[in-house]
Amino acid sequence: MRVSPSVLAADLIDLRRSLQSMDPSIVDLIHLDVMDGHYVPQLSFGEAYARAVKSATSIPLDVHLMVAAPERECPKYFDLHPAYLTFHAEATHFGVRLAQSIREQGIGAGVSLNPGTPVERLAPLLDHVDLALVMSVEPGFYGQKFLPQSVERVRQLREMIGRRPVAIQVDGGINTANIAALAQNGASIVVAGAFCFQGDSINSRVQALKEAAAASPGS
């Protein structure tokens, strides 16, 4: 299991200190939730802040665009070369073309689904992406509880993916109590905000998640 701490839950005023405290051998990715105030009601940050984050860490970026018209926004992140650049299937009519344009930059193309969107919506895109992100909370509202039906959605998606090299990521309300079920049903990356940035060190919190995932019989 790879863990991608979401910096939206960090102290954004003192984020450099948090980033520099992360051990790259433990923390796999840095998750950036880009919100535009249109696709989701909240406004977070954009490419300038993402560039500042990249300058402060060697850990690969994991950029999640919760934006309207991602065709216009994705190119702004190409020169940052994140590990993944993810857009929402619900936000575009041109998902295949957009995924192809991301991959052409040598970036992993990701596509995300809201909790109310059937997983079958991803079927036409699975040959064109490297990551499928299952939202386990509604996007754009911080601090929500994990939706238990997300485990079944992950299982369904794993069956749809089959032997394709597509990673399943889950985002929202992740903790040591629910990560094992996600691992057992096919998730290989989790995004964790509040869990990672509250309590003791980020590294120890990430390690706790990995240990809990490894306790899954199917991991």
Side-chain angles (χ1 to χ4, degrees):
M1 180 67 74
R2 289 184 284 169
V3 177
S4 184
S6 173
V7 300
L8 196 63
D11 180 354
L12 297 180
I13 301 298
D14 195 22
L15 183 57
R16 182 177 295 274
R17 181 184 60 81
S18 294
L19 291 169
Q20 293 178 344
S21 74
M22 296 182 191
D23 184 342
S25 69
I26 297 174
V27 178
D28 303 285
L29 300 159
I30 301 294
H31 193 80
L32 298 177
D33 288 305
V34 178
M35 305 181 191
D36 65 353
H38 298 285
Y39 179 70
V40 293
Q42 302 298 320
L43 184 66
S44 60
F45 42 74
E47 69 272 15
Y49 196 85
R51 188 166 285 105
V53 171
K54 182 176 176 64
S55 72
T57 181
S58 63
I59 298 172
L61 301 186
D62 174 26
V63 179
H64 178 194
L65 299 180
M66 289 179 267
V67 301
E71 303 85 10
R72 293 199 303 263
E73 297 301 313
C74 275
K76 298 177 181 178
Y77 297 86
F78 286 170
D79 67 337
L80 297 180
H81 297 288
Y84 297 106
L85 182 54
T86 299
F87 60 91
H88 272 259
E90 303 92 347
T92 180
H93 296 296
F94 312 106
V96 170
R97 185 171 67 184
L98 182 53
Q100 290 174 338
S101 71
I102 294 170
R103 279 180 154 184
E104 286 170 359
Q105 301 297 317
I107 299 168
V111 62
S112 182
L113 280 183
N114 292 339
T117 303
V119 294
E120 290 78 11
R121 176 75 175 270
L122 291 186
L125 294 171
L126 292 177
D127 286 329
H128 306 280
V129 299
D130 305 284
L131 178 144
L133 169 54
V134 174
M135 291 300 300
S136 46
V137 298
E138 293 288 357
F141 298 91
Y142 178 71
Q144 300 173 78
K145 292 184 178 180
F146 178 83
L147 294 171
Q149 61 265 37
S150 304
V151 175
E152 174 61 17
R153 286 166 61 79
V154 168
R155 187 196 65 76
Q156 292 174 2
L157 184 56
R158 182 72 267 164
E159 288 188 359
M160 288 173 54
I161 290 170
R163 301 185 68 178
R164 296 180 182 94
V166 178
I168 297 177
Q169 185 179 70
V170 186
D171 181 358
I174 305 298
N175 56 42
T176 52
N178 52 41
I179 194 171
L182 295 171
Q184 185 175 0
N185 284 277
S188 58
I189 310 173
V190 295
V191 177
F195 184 87
C196 286
F197 288 97
Q198 294 177 8
D200 44 8
S201 79
I202 298 167
N203 295 322
S204 64
R205 302 287 274 185
V206 170
Q207 192 61 45
L209 286 172
K210 292 185 175 186
E211 290 172 1
S216 164
S219 61

